[in-house]
Amino acid sequence: MKISYRLADIAAQFGGHVRGDSGVRISQIASLENAQPNHISFLTNSKYRAQLVSTCAGAVILGEADADATDLPRIVSDNPYAYFAKVSALLNPLPEARHGTHSSAVVGAGARIDATASIAAMAVIGEGATIGAHSVIGEGCCIGANTVIGSHARLYPRVVIYHDCVIGDNLIAHSGAVIGSDGFGIAMGDGRWIKIPQIGRVVIGNDVEIGANTTIDRGALDDAVIEDGVKPDNQIQVAHNVRIGAHTAIAGCVGIAGSTTIGSYCRIGGSAGILGHLQIADHVEISSFTLVGKSIKKPGSYSGIFPFSSNEDWRKNAVHLRHLDELVKRVKTLEQEIALLKGKDR
Amino acid sequence: MKISYRLADIAAQFGGHVRGDSGVRISQIASLENAQPNHISFLTNSKYRAQLVSTCAGAVILGEADADATDLPRIVSDNPYAYFAKVSALLNPLPEARHGTHSSAVVGAGARIDATASIAAMAVIGEGATIGAHSVIGEGCCIGANTVIGSHARLYPRVVIYHDCVIGDNLIAHSGAVIGSDGFGIAMGDGRWIKIPQIGRVVIGNDVEIGANTTIDRGALDDAVIEDGVKPDNQIQVAHNVRIGAHTAIAGCVGIAGSTTIGSYCRIGGSAGILGHLQIADHVEISSFTLVGKSIKKPGSYSGIFPFSSNEDWRKNAVHLRHLDELVKRVKTLEQEIALLKGKDR
Amino acid sequence: MKISYRLADIAAQFGGHVRGDSGVRISQIASLENAQPNHISFLTNSKYRAQLVSTCAGAVILGEADADATDLPRIVSDNPYAYFAKVSALLNPLPEARHGTHSSAVVGAGARIDATASIAAMAVIGEGATIGAHSVIGEGCCIGANTVIGSHARLYPRVVIYHDCVIGDNLIAHSGAVIGSDGFGIAMGDGRWIKIPQIGRVVIGNDVEIGANTTIDRGALDDAVIEDGVKPDNQIQVAHNVRIGAHTAIAGCVGIAGSTTIGSYCRIGGSAGILGHLQIADHVEISSFTLVGKSIKKPGSYSGIFPFSSNEDWRKNAVHLRHLDELVKRVKTLEQEIALLKGKDR
């Protein structure tokens, strides 16, 4: 049976002020629209206040500004969205993994696996690798030789980490993620590409979550570094020698080219791109679908998106982009001629 | 030996009208250019009629408009491309998989695997999972706990489906596809990201085919839903809480952000993107490389592509985009000055 | 202990001219910034000459133009970057894989595995497949039935190659790569998509390296072909029937649509796209984030990137793109009116 908590228990753990009946019992979290009486819901945007009237939730989390907008039992928090995240984690703990190594897993010589770690079926742990306390290595994962994984990692099935990488505590890595693959290092000589060995590592801090099918290449000579709390979503490509600063969040399908350094607390929109050898400051926001082609030295929001329209309108307008320089010259000519006419006119 | 069919057998099965020798035997399908006498070919665009003259095909599928353009034995259909697809499927049945579970596979407690299903080497079936009749789970696939897969599924090697998902009949999933991974749910609190548990499921209808290395995230609170007949190609990212309407086709590398709803019978071009929390109507076509940044309420074709040109021309023209507003103001000024001059002139 | 080489040994093997002490011993390669006395470094751009003064490297590789810019023991080469690549490969040989097939691997009936090949744990080799001399098939790889892999291949963990593909010598394939998956072949008939069997193969030449999580679809009817020396980076999608010419390099996240032919020695930037059924000449460079929407017949560099700026500036400028056609008409009107005024003025 699912565990339930009284509103008072929740507030005791996470703070905030309870209004209304603090004894109401909560066993799950849900949207205002779908919540049931044993659910707690949340309002993070006053715009949706009207939903407070119709919700069947047993309780709600909201901000000070909305605290009087309902009579429901409620927790008032100065950051209701973060509060929601914490309550949801309380109500939805990860299933416990069984300690120990599945009989089908293969563990290389000299690997050190903590007694509280879990190695699932079909996983392969390379020679000399280290798996920290309470870490869970999912089905079919491959951990390369001498790679070190900290404590409380959770690797979903089929994650690959190449050799000699160093990973902090609390890593979450989703299926298909590849960490430490060779960077795109090739040199043209005598009409063919010569491979440049990629001898750096990937070094990852604590509290990083890596999305499904995301790839993070190892360094060419020095290391690629992902600092604490970085959150790359799915299908992201991080090329060799990249450094990503702490607590930067990156939405799906982004590509980051080699040797670029990204600051802390940046937010990068989906399918954006960042060229190589650039420096991006802290607290930079990049819009979806924007290519960053030079370094950004100041915090702020940056965009470069072609606005979409009906195919007809797009065609009509976009054709002129190939003649924009000419258009600007035509305007300049007009300005000169007007000046001339005005002169004569005087 | 490869099975062959008489033209008459094919028409008996799929309709259309046979012209010429209905007894010609066909054992494979091929392009007009490469077909041999035991092959059937097809013409779907009158533009390529000339190829009918030079082809070595033994027979051909074509439309009414082209029916008299050749003397070859032929099947006349009102949809020759769909006809070609059906004939090709007849001539190229999937190899039968052996029933039963490979000795190296691992099956969790309480899993229900139909006696006609096939579980290949190294596959892992989670506790309580269900695999329907005639379904084939390829090498190294991982099916999460309590996930239900319908009948006649074909999962190629190394597909991962997380726990608690529900999949209809006839799923085809290509290698590296990941279904049910956690969505990108994080809340900023006290200077760090707090993970929001992703407690929804992925619910997939019948007749869906999912391309290689495509990722479909589970819902944050409610379910992500892929309706019947949806066809996502390779390397696509479908974020949490997305709903995709029936028979929508999505080309490779598309990214769909969270909580967006896409209608039925849409066609989305390669590397396009759709931002989050949008509504896309039925029968909408989106061009490749287009970012859809607001909801689309009317069927039709939509584009937003920056036209490419030689690097030199691009540089010359694109530089003005950063001053387009200024250019528009200059034109406005010119218009006012002209009006003034014309006034004086009168 | 790591092997070391005298500068003279290196020059004997790879050419170039030694200046200074040819007896200095080198055991690793590093950047000028991080090199130690037992390291060799390299200078490939005179712009960074100043680093020659401060480096602790024991020796350096550089071009003729910079040959006198340091007193360090040095090798002078006419292509110092390619020279660096070769020296790095000498100093960083791949670890030897153990010959033979791991006890957990599954090998299908009729497969031919060379006695010098290595099949790692959890790998599955399909019926009738061929693995050439000295090839290494990594952990959890799946090789389809009747697929042929040449000699000296190195497949990292979890690569999938579907059935009936043909691969030359020296393939490197990184984790998560999928070769030979079905192309996106569907035909609309009676309101639903009908699958078109993909009966072509993927045929890959010699010396190809395929990045992590890249997908290469098999041909629909004929083969998809990747010629010698092609280098696709990570997260790339190559659709069915594509042909890529020899020594073309493709950066991460690129999408290439079906039936397109790309020439030799092309360079395609990250996240670029190429539409289907196009022809791209040899020696074409395509910028990152550029969509190529028509065939390119002449060598050269091509771009189509929307320039990014601050979000404010972008918004101000981009809004006019939806009215560019109108703007052009306004300029035309102005030109006519000016001509009229000038006429009257004369």
Side-chain angles (χ1 to χ4, degrees), chain C residues 5 10 31 114 136 156 160 195 207 212 220 230 274 307 322 336:
Chain C
Y5 296 85
I10 292 173
S31 60
D114 190 276
V136 177
Y156 286 90
V160 176
K195 180 176 174 69
D207 306 318
V230 172
I274 306 184
R322 289 204 167 106
Q336 291 165 344

Side-chain angles (χ1 to χ4, degrees), chain B residues 35-340:
Chain B
Q36 299 301 312
N38 59 328
H39 293 168
I40 190 167
S41 191
F42 57 101
L43 180 74
T44 56
N45 186 334
S46 299
K47 194 165 78 172
Y48 300 111
R49 262 195 195 188
Q51 292 185 29
L52 286 173
V53 178
S54 54
T55 187
C56 300
V60 67
I61 302 161
L62 34 58
E64 193 60 58
D66 301 306
D68 297 324
T70 180
D71 289 332
L72 283 173
R74 55 206 183 275
I75 296 176
V76 181
S77 161
D78 52 6
N79 185 347
Y81 195 55
Y83 204 103
F84 145 64
K86 291 174 190 168
V87 174
S88 183
L90 174 73
L91 296 170
N92 298 284
L94 280 180
E96 276 290 310
R98 296 179 192 94
H99 295 174
T101 298
H102 191 275
S103 61
S104 66
V106 172
V107 178
R112 280 162 297 182
I113 299 173
D114 191 275
T116 59
S118 166
I119 312 296
M122 310 298 172
V124 180
I125 311 295
E127 298 184 359
T130 300
I131 310 295
H134 302 287
S135 284
V136 177
I137 308 299
E139 289 77 6
C141 287
C142 294
I143 309 301
N146 304 313
T147 280
V148 176
I149 297 179
S151 69
H152 294 92
R154 175 135 328 212
L155 274 61
Y156 287 89
R158 294 205 302 92
V159 170
V160 176
I161 306 182
Y162 280 49
H163 59 94
D164 292 307
C165 295
V166 179
I167 317 272
D169 296 332
N170 306 321
L171 174 72
I172 301 173
H174 287 281
S175 292
V178 176
I179 299 167
S181 41
D182 280 357
F184 196 50
I186 49 178
M188 179 54 72
D190 300 323
R192 62 181 203 87
W193 294 109
I194 305 164
K195 181 177 175 69
I196 299 167
Q198 303 291 297
I199 61 177
R201 307 171 298 172
V202 175
V203 176
I204 295 183
N206 299 319
D207 306 318
V208 169
E209 179 165 1
I210 295 172
N213 282 352
T214 280
T215 49
I216 300 177
D217 283 343
R218 63 194 312 113
L221 293 171
D222 305 321
D223 297 330
V225 178
I226 311 293
E227 297 183 0
D228 289 353
V230 171
K231 309 290 182 189
D233 192 13
N234 296 358
Q235 303 265 14
I236 287 168
Q237 154 67 354
V238 180
H240 57 187
N241 311 321
V242 165
R243 175 180 279 267
I244 304 180
H247 309 295
T248 282
I250 308 175
C253 305
V254 165
I256 302 172
S259 302
T260 277
T261 296
I262 299 175
S264 298
Y265 291 105
C266 293
R267 300 187 189 194
I268 304 179
S271 297
I274 306 183
L275 291 190
H277 298 274
L278 303 183
Q279 313 290 322
I280 309 296
D282 296 344
H283 296 282
V284 164
E285 272 185 58
I286 297 168
S287 295
S288 294
F289 250 66
T290 294
L291 178 67
V292 175
K294 52 183 189 181
S295 292
I296 296 179
K297 287 165 189 169
K298 291 202 307 191
S301 296
Y302 297 85
S303 300
I305 305 165
F306 195 100
F308 86 104
S309 53
S310 79
N311 199 46
E312 233 177 350
D313 282 351
W314 167 74
R315 204 177 284 276
K316 217 171 56 184
N317 289 307
V319 69
H320 300 298
L321 287 172
R322 289 205 167 106
H323 310 284
L324 205 52
D325 188 51
E326 192 197 311
L327 184 70
V328 171
K329 284 182 182 143
R330 285 163 63 189
V331 169
K332 196 163 201 174
T333 301
L334 284 167
E335 289 168 339
Q336 290 164 344
E337 294 187 329
I338 287 272
L340 218 64

